[in-house]
Amino acid sequence: MNPAITRRLFNLSCLVGSASLAGAAWAQEARITTLVVPYPAGALSDAIARAVQEPLRGQLQQTLVIDNVSGVSGTVGAQKVLSAPADGQMLFQGSPNELILPPLALKSVKLRAEDFRIVHPIGESPFVLIARAGLPVKTADELIALARSQPDKPLTYGSTGIGSAYHLLTEQLANQNGVKFTHVPYRGGAPMVQDLIGGRLDFVITLYNSVIVGMTEKGQLNPLAVFGNLRHEQMKSMPAASETQVLKGMPSSLWTAYMVPAKTPDAVVQRLHLALLKVASDMQVRSLLEKLGMRPAQPMSLADSATFYTAEIARYRALAAAIHLQAE
């Protein structure tokens, strides 16, 4: 063959090979991991995801986008993850509010908690008992005393929906203290808190966060207790549940974790677990979560995560049964 032609073919093959390698590298970099958050932008869940986004992107070495998919107590986002390929490219930021409780309260929800597995928790937010500013009580015990004193005029409380953790906990509070409350469900936490500030609700059980702190400091809300044995580091003036008679023995916090469909291959889950383990240990991430009022998660193995999730499913199902929750 003509030497000139041979050289041209060789150069062409090198160009094709280089283009193929570059294309493969581009394809790898172009892969996108989606983190589905089941609430709108600006909510506490969204703030958690934003704190995690950049460190997790660095660990995965892939583009990481946040997809806010709200609706039906967070199950629309959960179902989107279940409907996608179980290849680890779509994660769900979930809690009992979206995965364990809705199937117990809503007949329209077809997913089950067991459809997911925890890759790694990111933190937990303590529950708080907050009343409207004008309600004449200063403690949780006084709230129950007021409810007992007016059985014909039940106090009103809000939640983010029938079957939410806030609904179940408040009904548990009523049952164990022999009082009745009137439930007012909302489609989200923001309108619920606005009605509490406006005096259209008497009290709520919600999650501790910096917004609640700011409103209590301004006198717009009346903080009665933080659940658990200890006062919160950022709001020492709020009594702990252990200091009351009426809140003892109640669940103290709501966890948030990163989840994938249960059928995701183990090798993929292990890769994600290693990345999230490093993110959960990152001091900057932990500091951001603490500023949001969360207690960052401690490192947890995949086996321990599975054990924890199984126990939480059983615990919340028992709580739903105790208040006779019926799917509607």
Side-chain angles (χ1 to χ4, degrees), residues 259-272:
M259 328 279 291
V260 291
K263 60 185 178 181
T264 306
D266 284 342
V268 173
V269 177
Q270 288 168 6
R271 179 179 67 87
L272 291 171

Side-chain angles (χ1 to χ4, degrees), residues 222-239:
N222 180 9
L224 303 182
V226 59
F227 286 48
N229 295 325
L230 302 174
R231 296 193 177 198
H232 199 283
E233 299 84 354
Q234 297 177 6
M235 200 169 182
K236 294 286 189 179
S237 62
M238 187 188 295

Side-chain angles (χ1 to χ4, degrees), residues 39 208 225 245 293:
Y39 298 103
Y208 182 98
Q245 295 298 315

Side-chain angles (χ1 to χ4, degrees), residues 5-82:
I5 296 177
T6 301
R7 283 194 301 272
R8 288 172 186 164
L9 289 174
F10 174 78
N11 292 337
L12 180 60
S13 67
C14 289
L15 288 171
V16 172
S18 298
S20 298
L21 289 172
W26 178 86
Q28 179 65 27
E29 291 179 1
R31 296 191 73 188
I32 296 174
T33 299
T34 301
L35 175 56
V36 175
V37 177
Y39 298 103
L44 175 60
S45 293
D46 182 66
I48 295 169
R50 304 290 167 182
V52 168
Q53 184 180 19
E54 187 59 25
L56 183 55
R57 183 209 64 76
Q59 291 296 329
L60 295 176
Q61 295 187 338
Q62 291 182 202
T63 300
L64 180 70
V65 298
I66 294 173
D67 188 10
N68 298 93
V69 185
S70 58
V72 194
S73 300
T75 60
V76 174
Q79 191 59 60
K80 179 173 183 176
V81 176
L82 289 178

